Amino acid sequence: MPRFLRPLTRAVTYTRWVHLVVGAVPTVIGSFIVGVHTDSVAHWLFLAVLPIPLVAAAGLVPAMRLAEGLQARLMLFPGRHARQEDEDAQEPIIVARPAQSWRDRGVTALWMVLRLEAGSAMAWLSIQAGATTLSFAGSVVGDDPGADSVITLHGAHWAYIFLVPLPLTVLGYVSAGAGALMAGTALRMLGPSPAERLSALEERTEQLLEHNRIARELHDSIGHALTIAVVQAGAARAANSPAFTDQALAAIEDTGRAALEDLERVLKVLREPSEPAHRRPTLAEADRLLDSARASGAKIDVEITGPLDRLPGPVTREAYRILQEALTNVLRHAGAVPVTVRITADDRRLLLTVTNPLDGTSLGAGSGSGLRGIRERATLLGGRAKAGPGDGEWQLTVDLPVS
């Protein structure tokens, strides 16, 4: 196909023409209200200028930026050849959201006025091109064009058959050029403003934080369940006792069931972000963690001071996961050893310490992602966590502010 014919064969040329012509709707409505029924250029200019104040005022409504953005996406950039996201920046080229500042409102109002004027010009040109095409076609068959004809025809009327497609062809090229200009202008005026870029960045940050939280939830819950299962299975095989094997299988079943509940809750958040997930476990429900660790052979010594049920939701939920990861690390790296858990809560802070005897198998307890996740959870709550050997023990201390 010759290159000069490509603008006439691209679908985007005609969708952009529709976008331009739709912008002239206020002009058409004004023609009915005013009652002007003439095709003179002066009256068309009058009708194009008449609705400017109303269109500009409408552009100041925040929702109009959403409507204009959606129209621009669908008509100025249709199809797969015009991607709506920058692969490098990961942000929309055309914003489709309500205006967030007066600057965005003003730019939207200016865009709507520009679209009104460009649309009025394109609508007038389309009418003239259509009328001229009809005049040529009528002259070919011998019809008298009459006094209101757009152009005056002379000579052999059959020769005008070669001119019949000319007006619409010119209209097609003009539409392609005007549409490209409007598309370029839309990128500047309907693209993300600084406020919208900041808002998009905040949303992206929230999404990343949520993804990290979900990753930590899966790591802590599933990792804890698998660790318990591995420890219990190994102990049952070493004990070679039917009674102990039954006890180990029961512990694996309970831990696996709890892990499945956590997995279902997390997957529900991923599948249906708008739906509330099941309640996350809190530190007041730490008994099941301690019972699970005891069933694996660990001797757990627990001391709780203060009302755990009065802790703020974020603090008690994250503290539960921290304790879960701490016990998982002990079982994974040290095995069934004595563990001391101290939980102290008051009106100002929550102090959680987990200690276990230090031997050669527990020296690597801080090398994985579990300890990093504990530190991240503590940091997000404005607290701190530290872990390391001391006095022949591996000590984990987490200090979280409550108020």
Side-chain angles (χ1 to χ4, degrees), residues 309-381:
D309 56 346
R310 297 182 184 178
L311 293 173
V315 174
T316 187
R317 288 191 293 266
E318 295 302 320
Y320 177 92
R321 292 304 184 190
I322 290 173
L323 177 59
Q324 183 181 54
E325 181 59 29
L327 294 175
T328 302
N329 284 342
V330 172
L331 295 172
R332 180 183 298 141
H333 298 287
V337 298
V339 181
T340 301
V341 177
R342 297 288 183 266
I343 303 175
T344 303
D346 54 33
D347 295 336
R348 299 181 56 187
R349 67 174 187 170
L350 170 67
L351 184 63
L352 170 65
T353 60
V354 180
T355 61
N356 62 275
L358 183 62
D359 56 30
T361 60
S362 60
L363 291 177
S367 60
S369 60
L371 184 56
R372 182 171 65 250
I374 290 175
R375 287 173 175 155
E376 289 177 354
R377 291 179 185 274
T379 301
L380 287 175
L381 293 174

Side-chain angles (χ1 to χ4, degrees), residues 6-64:
R6 290 180 183 176
L8 301 181
T9 59
R10 298 177 64 197
V12 69
T13 298
Y14 303 99
T15 59
R16 288 174 175 176
W17 173 82
V18 172
H19 183 268
L20 285 167
V21 172
V22 169
V25 168
T27 300
V28 175
I29 295 176
S31 67
F32 287 102
I33 295 176
V34 177
V36 177
H37 303 287
T38 179
D39 293 333
S40 68
V41 176
H43 282 93
W44 265 98
L45 291 176
F46 170 74
L47 293 175
V49 173
L50 183 64
I52 285 181
L54 183 60
V55 170
L60 297 178
V61 178
M64 293 305 298

Side-chain angles (χ1 to χ4, degrees), residues 230-310:
V230 170
V231 172
Q232 289 282 3
R237 184 176 60 179
N240 194 23
S241 168
F244 186 85
T245 300
D246 291 341
Q247 180 183 355
L249 290 176
I252 292 174
E253 180 183 5
D254 292 340
T255 305
R257 185 179 294 109
L260 286 175
E261 292 176 358
D262 286 342
L263 179 61
E264 177 61 26
R265 175 181 53 77
V266 172
L267 292 179
K268 183 175 182 180
V269 172
L270 293 176
R271 290 193 301 261
E272 305 173 9
S274 60
E275 293 293 331
H278 293 301
R279 183 179 60 85
R280 294 170 58 194
T282 65
L283 195 58
E285 304 169 54
D287 288 343
R288 74 173 186 176
L289 289 179
L290 302 174
D291 292 341
S292 177
R294 290 191 180 102
S296 299
K299 299 178 180 179
I300 309 294
D301 178 21
V302 183
E303 180 181 331
I304 300 177
T305 304
L308 300 184
D309 56 346
R310 297 182 184 178

